[in-house]
Amino acid sequence: MQGVFSKIIAGQIPSYKVFEDENCYAFLDINPNAVGHTLCVTKKEVDKIFDLLDQDYNYLMQFSRKVAVAIQKAIPCRRGGMSVIGLEVPHVHVHLIPLNAMEDATFQKKVSLTPSEFQATATKIQEYL
């Protein structure tokens, strides 16, 4: 059965796409810790990050770095944070979170955005990719 992230990649579930290439897909988290909170996922449906082949793991990290650099240019923040947890969705994904305070990284504080704010944020990040 196809998972939620594979459905997003296939366009079956809408997303605020930030960037995509042949191996990975980046989109805004719909329940973000901060404005610009982005998920980078592999197009291969693999559950756990350390189950990725070495080349796929390294590629995901390079892809995530590229997206993170764009986020830091587009979204004012003190630091760019990265988290890999993987309990919510059984598909490898990296959280890229603009950080201004430790609370931004705890997954306890959330921000709400309108659809137009989500789209504006995605567009702003895309300008730096």
Side-chain angles (χ1 to χ4, degrees):
M1 186 170 135
Q2 196 177 41
V4 65
F5 288 166
S6 291
K7 289 178 181 178
I8 288 171
I9 293 163
Q12 297 168 354
I13 296 174
S15 69
Y16 297 98
K17 181 169 71 170
V18 171
F19 186 60
E20 175 181 23
D21 68 13
E22 65 279 356
N23 299 308
C24 296
Y25 189 91
F27 59 100
L28 296 179
D29 191 310
I30 60 166
N31 191 25
N33 292 16
V35 173
H37 181 166
T38 301
L39 300 177
C40 296
V41 302
T42 56
K43 288 189 175 179
K44 290 181 183 175
E45 198 168 287
V46 175
D47 182 5
K48 300 173 185 169
I49 194 162
F50 298 121
D51 288 344
L52 287 172
L53 298 173
D54 287 349
Q55 67 266 20
D56 295 333
Y57 173 86
N58 291 331
Y59 191 90
L60 175 61
M61 290 300 112
Q62 291 171 356
F63 179 90
S64 297
R65 182 186 182 283
K66 180 176 184 169
V67 175
V69 169
I71 292 169
Q72 290 179 92
K73 289 177 181 176
I75 308 297
C77 60
R78 290 178 57 200
R79 295 214 185 260
M82 174 190 276
S83 180
V84 178
I85 300 168
L87 296 173
E88 326 78 20
V89 178
H91 187 135
V92 172
H93 58 287
V94 173
H95 292 265
L96 301 175
I97 308 167
L99 302 174
N100 289 300
M102 285 300 294
E103 294 80 32
D104 296 334
T106 66
F107 293 86
Q108 301 299 311
K109 179 184 133 196
K110 298 294 183 172
V111 297
S112 295
L113 286 86
T114 65
S116 61
E117 290 170 325
F118 272 115
Q119 189 56 58
T121 301
T123 300
K124 193 172 187 180
I125 296 167
Q126 290 167 356
E127 291 172 5
Y128 291 97
L129 287 162

